[in-house]
Structures are given as structure tokens and as C-alpha cells.
Amino acid sequence: MKRFAVFVLFPLLFAPAGFCQNTAAEPYKATLDRLNSLTLQSESEWRFLDDSPHPEDPGLNDSEWGVFTVKNV
């Protein structure tokens, strides 16, 4: 009788606990992936110039500016 209780009744007592757990693998995965994508820059390099009064001017030639390589981790 003890073997019957150990091998049959004991697993039946704890089997419903497995069914009560959340079956969704990762319910927040889409949100976390979106937040993670906001922390990464799509540019692989940035250009900079130390002494330009208006570097935002679209007519400014930036071909001789310094280049800073961005490392996305």
C-alpha cells in the first residue's frame, strides 16, 4: 500500500499545481524588446567638430570632421 501511495497518489496531489502555472512563455517579451531597441543607436559612427558655431547647418561640409565609432553592445 505504501508503494501505491508513493507512486500513484503522491504525484496526483501535486499534478494540478503544474496546470495552474502561467503557460505564456514570456508575456512581456514584446515590450522588453521594444525598450531594448530604444537603447541602441542605429548609426555606426558619429562625426564631430570642436569649433563650429552652428554644426546643425545642412549646408556645412562635414567631410573633414573627426569620426567617432559607436559601439553598440
Side-chain angles (χ1 to χ4, degrees):
M1 183 67 183
K2 284 186 179 181
R3 283 189 183 185
F4 177 76
V6 170
F7 292 112
V8 176
L9 295 179
F10 188 72
L12 289 177
L13 290 174
F14 293 100
F19 295 115
C20 296
Q21 294 178 358
N22 188 359
T23 58
E26 295 183 33
Y28 303 110
K29 183 172 178 18
T31 303
L32 292 174
D33 288 344
R34 173 70 176 133
L35 289 173
N36 189 33
S37 73
L38 296 175
T39 62
L40 299 176
Q41 297 290 331
S42 60
E43 300 91 9
S44 61
E45 64 182 23
W46 294 349
R47 296 190 172 274
F48 66 92
L49 185 64
D50 292 333
D51 60 350
S52 177
H54 294 284
E56 70 277 0
D57 183 17
L60 193 61
N61 182 10
D62 66 348
S63 63
E64 296 180 8
W65 288 18
V67 176
F68 178 77
T69 303
V70 179
K71 296 178 183 174
N72 287 320
V73 179

